[in-house]
Amino acid sequence: MGRRKKTLHDYAAEFSELAVKRQRPERGGGGEAAAAESLWCSSCQLPLRVRRDRILEHLASGRHYRNRRLARQRAPLLLSAGPDISLPLQLDAPSLLAQPPLVLAAATTTGSPSLLPGAIRSTTTPDQAPSTSAFTALRVRIAPAPAERSSRSPAVPQARDGAVLGRCGAGGLGLALFGTELSDNALFQSLVEENGCCLLYVVEDWLHEVERAFSAEFLAGTRVLRQQDADIVLNDQRVSGVIVCLPPEEASEVVIDALRAGKGVFCERLPSFDRQTAETCFDEANRCGRPLVCGFYKRFDPALQFLCKKVRGCQALGRIHRIATTSSVYPAASLGFLKTSGGIFYNAAVHDIDIVSLLLGESAPDTIFSLGHAFCTDMACLKDADTVAVSMKFPSGAIVTLDISQHCTKSCDQRLEVHGSQGTLRVDNQNPLGITEHGTSVSICTQTQADRYREAHRGLFRHFLRTLKGKEPPAITKEQFLWAIQVAAAAEQSWRNGSAVDLRSEAMDSAVLYGCLMKQEKIQALKRHGS
């Protein structure tokens, strides 16, 4: 028997954002009623062709992503624990669909030791198991009308100021987090573990993303808002720094608004794909006198920092001839994440490009050539690659190869080799057992990307806190960031066009500027060493 052909209802069941729409029956030639059904995108209100590749392409498009966020912001209900916490409730949130109907209680409880007190009565039958979600003990209130909200000033509740100061300490820093969907788990752990700061706000439209990221206990002193209420965060003088975990297409606007409000900014991903927009973000940080830290986390990995010190500071390898990096991610990132974060070149390759430029002390290669392929069918539908090899030749003559893949089935593979005229240094895979395996059917020590670079993310986050206190300037400068994304763009262009890209003309324009930059870094390093 052949495989059954998928119907419209099968696709609607597979993709939660699709629905089958029945059009009004029309009279046929014989007088009978003929009803027609079509597949629609609920967020975009557009009909879709019944083909899997077209469906995936639409769901990963920027247009659908924007419409989906707008649909979330139009949700009429909010979850709240009173005046201190406002949590958005989406009517179609997956974590709430399975809940039984809720009945609002006439009165709320007081003095409850739970995070979000409030009385909810449920029509749950004895056969239904109660939900174990940390947010099921919330009561529902209707969001104020736009006129009512505008009549009130966006003042921050003062009831918990003492508790917040108690968590942060006398010199603690108040932080706000914008977006949680694209954040790394290592960042969440750093937020929880650091004692010198406290998370005052989380700005996120999806409740289940906040629930996934943080425990209820940690959120006891945190207010959760929707994107449309971001002005409350920016007007709060207790907020010293803003952490932006949004797609680059949306991050730049939040970055600039936060800088203008006098907040320091840590952009975990890229502020923007566009060079001019990213440059505007850095210029705004310079004009406002606030730090802008970008998420090149590999710079803060202890092993790579030691390698950079030996290669650049001590000249232990002499003249560098060749650098080879291997970066296989485990577990593989989701299709939606890769699309919104720019694909394999902007999500993975850009970090290796930054490390290579740091090791060589050169901003960009003369020539770059890339090969890539999409072994995953879904990636091919998105017109992106999941495995790439990038070759670069720098002005010093050094040859660099980057081997990057989204296919790593047992554990992440993160290696780097530097070959020079006086020897070779290598950073190998790390695991707590210190055992190297070859050809085993079961991984002895599975390690995820977040586990491998946990210390790097922690070091980057602590660096951001030090910049907020004015103890050190941001480690990633505007010129370094702009060159990194330009080389990543050239690598992607080479892959798509199937030809090498020459960057010598652009590199010549900034040679003097980058030389001055390296001299300043060396002077600062000597001062720190002398002190």
Side-chain angles (χ1 to χ4, degrees), residues 361-491:
E362 299 178 82
S363 59
D366 286 342
T367 309
I368 184 169
F369 179 71
S370 303
L371 292 173
H373 186 73
F375 290 95
C376 177
T377 306
D378 293 337
M379 289 297 297
C381 294
L382 298 180
K383 299 180 181 179
D384 199 2
D386 52 37
T387 302
V388 297
V390 182
S391 298
M392 299 180 285
K393 182 177 181 181
F394 281 78
S396 63
I399 305 293
V400 175
T401 58
L402 310 180
D403 183 4
I404 303 168
S405 176
Q406 291 288 337
H407 293 283
C408 199
T409 56
K410 296 190 299 181
S411 184
C412 72
D413 187 10
Q414 300 287 318
R415 290 170 287 150
L416 186 144
E417 293 182 357
V418 183
H419 303 269
S421 58
Q422 299 179 14
T424 300
L425 288 176
R426 172 174 176 169
V427 177
D428 213 333
N429 289 316
Q430 303 175 13
N431 64 69
L433 299 177
I435 299 175
T436 303
E437 54 180 313
H438 297 283
T440 56
S441 58
V442 180
S443 179
I444 296 176
C445 185
T446 299
Q447 187 179 49
T448 65
Q449 188 84 354
D451 293 335
R452 167 62 182 85
Y453 290 106
R454 191 173 304 280
E455 289 300 323
H457 284 284
R458 183 179 288 111
L460 176 58
F461 182 69
R462 289 174 177 172
H463 166 67
F464 172 59
L465 297 181
R466 290 193 295 270
T467 63
L468 292 179
K469 297 177 180 179
K471 294 183 177 181
E472 60 189 40
I476 299 97
T477 64
K478 178 179 78 171
E479 290 75 19
Q480 292 172 336
F481 177 81
L482 295 179
W483 273 115
I485 62 172
Q486 182 165 344
V487 174

Side-chain angles (χ1 to χ4, degrees), residues 250-456:
E250 304 176 25
S252 57
E253 182 178 354
V254 177
V255 168
I256 292 176
D257 289 344
L259 291 170
R260 290 174 178 173
K263 320 296 185 186
V265 177
F266 171 32
C267 194
E268 196 204 16
R269 301 292 166 183
L270 306 181
S272 176
F273 296 133
D274 180 65
R275 179 185 176 94
Q276 184 176 1
T277 304
E279 189 171 4
T280 301
C281 293
F282 279 95
D283 290 341
E284 191 67 28
N286 184 59
R287 186 186 70 81
C288 298
R290 301 303 297 158
L292 172 56
V293 176
C294 294
F296 285 168
Y297 61 93
K298 288 191 176 181
R299 284 190 176 210
F300 297 86
D301 179 66
L304 294 177
Q305 284 183 330
F306 180 82
L307 185 67
C308 289
K309 181 179 179 181
K310 290 296 182 183
V311 172
R312 293 291 301 160
C314 304
Q315 301 287 324
L317 301 183
R319 184 177 181 180
I320 304 303
H321 294 170
R322 186 164 56 90
I323 298 178
T325 71
T326 299
S327 181
S328 295
V329 179
Y330 176 82
S334 64
L335 298 179
F337 175 85
L338 288 175
K339 189 65 177 179
T340 55
S341 61
I344 194 169
F345 289 96
Y346 289 98
N347 179 54
V350 69
H351 296 284
D352 290 338
I353 291 171
D354 175 64
I355 284 295
V356 166
S357 298
L358 198 65
L359 286 170
L360 293 175
E362 299 178 82
S363 59
D366 286 342
T367 309
I368 184 169
F369 179 71
S370 303
L371 292 173
H373 186 73
F375 290 95
C376 177
T377 306
D378 293 337
M379 289 297 297
C381 294
L382 298 180
K383 299 180 181 179
D384 199 2
D386 52 37
T387 302
V388 297
V390 182
S391 298
M392 299 180 285
K393 182 177 181 181
F394 281 78
S396 63
I399 305 293
V400 175
T401 58
L402 310 180
D403 183 4
I404 303 168
S405 176
Q406 291 288 337
H407 293 283
C408 199
T409 56
K410 296 190 299 181
S411 184
C412 72
D413 187 10
Q414 300 287 318
R415 290 170 287 150
L416 186 144
E417 293 182 357
V418 183
H419 303 269
S421 58
Q422 299 179 14
T424 300
L425 288 176
R426 172 174 176 169
V427 177
D428 213 333
N429 289 316
Q430 303 175 13
N431 64 69
L433 299 177
I435 299 175
T436 303
E437 54 180 313
H438 297 283
T440 56
S441 58
V442 180
S443 179
I444 296 176
C445 185
T446 299
Q447 187 179 49
T448 65
Q449 188 84 354
D451 293 335
R452 167 62 182 85
Y453 290 106
R454 191 173 304 280
E455 289 300 323

Side-chain angles (χ1 to χ4, degrees), residues 168-242:
C168 294
L173 297 172
L175 303 177
L177 175 65
F178 279 74
T180 58
E181 190 175 356
L182 299 183
S183 304
D184 195 287
N185 291 333
L187 173 62
F188 296 150
Q189 186 170 355
S190 297
L191 277 169
V192 173
E193 293 177 352
E194 285 298 320
N195 295 324
C197 65
C198 59
L199 188 62
L200 300 178
Y201 295 95
V202 175
V203 182
E204 174 60 65
D205 291 332
W206 277 113
L207 170 66
H208 70 272
E209 291 294 341
V210 181
E211 184 179 351
R212 174 190 64 85
F214 300 105
S215 65
E217 181 182 1
F218 177 76
L219 290 175
T222 303
R223 187 178 181 188
V224 183
L225 301 174
R226 297 194 297 182
Q227 291 280 355
Q228 65 186 32
D229 299 321
D231 288 343
I232 296 178
V233 178
L234 301 181
N235 292 329
D236 190 345
Q237 298 302 315
R238 299 175 302 166
V239 178
S240 301
V242 169

